[in-house]
Amino acid sequence: MTTQEMQAHIVDGVRRAMSDLCSTMLGCEAEPGEVRVVAQPLEESEGVVALIGMAGPWIGTGAILCKPDMACKLAGAMLMSEYAEVDDEVLDAVAEVANMVIGNLKTSLEEMVAPWVYPRQQSFTAPASPPNSAETTGGR
Amino acid sequence: MPFAIMGGTVLVQVCLLPNVDGRTTPRLDIVGALAR
């Protein structure tokens, strides 16, 4: 499978995964925007980031990024509560979103290639500065 | 890829490359550094 073919499968898989997540867990609809290839991964990472590492026939990461208020909305919808600021529960909720979206993507990709290892996830806030002050919930 | 949901935006980024050297352990140290 070429990189271009993999990109097409990733786009399709992510769209499906987000749609499934929103309809089943968040009670809303996801409107997909323009797909872009970026030179610097996570360049728009100011806010909350959840990362999952993947290894197998293909290797890399999947990430969910959003602003803090969006992270609070996601957590509120998932946990049926209200959050005014990012705390451990909000980070856990965003990490779970990443787990479901990237996990769903991984499952669909495995139908085309061999099974993958799916080792760890991390979620953390990523303030613009200072760069070393990011808080992490640690791997699970 | 951005998604408009609940009045905001969630961005999903996936970075995958062919595993030419057979490595199965993710480089989480590098993943962390990318967050900067």
Side-chain angles (χ1 to χ4, degrees):
Chain A
M1 183 183 302
T2 66
T3 300
Q4 287 73 25
E5 289 171 333
M6 178 58 88
Q7 282 181 2
H9 289 307
I10 289 171
V11 169
D12 185 53
V14 168
R15 280 187 178 148
R16 228 175 317 134
M18 277 298 290
S19 177
D20 289 349
L21 170 74
C22 287
S23 62
T24 60
M25 297 293 295
L26 303 178
C28 65
E29 291 193 5
E31 182 68 33
E34 181 185 357
V35 177
R36 291 187 299 125
V37 177
V38 295
Q40 298 292 325
L42 305 179
E43 64 182 355
E44 301 165 22
S45 64
E46 185 176 0
V48 176
V49 181
L51 278 174
I52 295 185
M54 293 181 280
W58 291 67
I59 189 166
T61 59
I64 300 288
L65 306 92
C66 62
K67 293 181 177 176
D69 62 334
M70 188 66 222
C72 292
K73 284 183 184 178
L74 288 174
M78 286 186 69
L79 305 174
M80 289 180 281
S81 184
E82 289 189 10
Y83 297 92
E85 60 185 22
V86 175
D87 60 15
D88 286 346
E89 286 190 8
V90 172
L91 292 178
D92 282 345
V94 176
E96 189 55 31
V97 167
N99 195 28
M100 288 186 281
V101 172
I102 304 302
N104 194 325
L105 169 66
K106 168 186 156 289
T107 300
S108 65
L109 293 179
E110 279 180 335
E111 294 172 2
M112 292 168 280
V113 295
W116 292 28
V117 180
Y118 189 39
R120 286 186 81 184
Q121 66 175 211
Q122 290 188 323
S123 67
F124 47 87
T125 56
S129 65
N132 292 328
S133 66
E135 299 170 5
T136 178
T137 63
R140 275 169 273 215
Chain B
M1 183 188 321
F3 290 89
I5 65 170
M6 302 169 66
T9 302
V10 172
L11 188 63
V12 180
Q13 286 192 346
V14 177
C15 177
L16 288 174
L17 293 170
N19 189 3
V20 293
D21 63 358
R23 182 191 300 276
T24 55
T25 302
R27 298 291 297 270
L28 286 178
D29 51 339
I30 294 177
V31 169
L34 286 175
R36 297 174 182 174

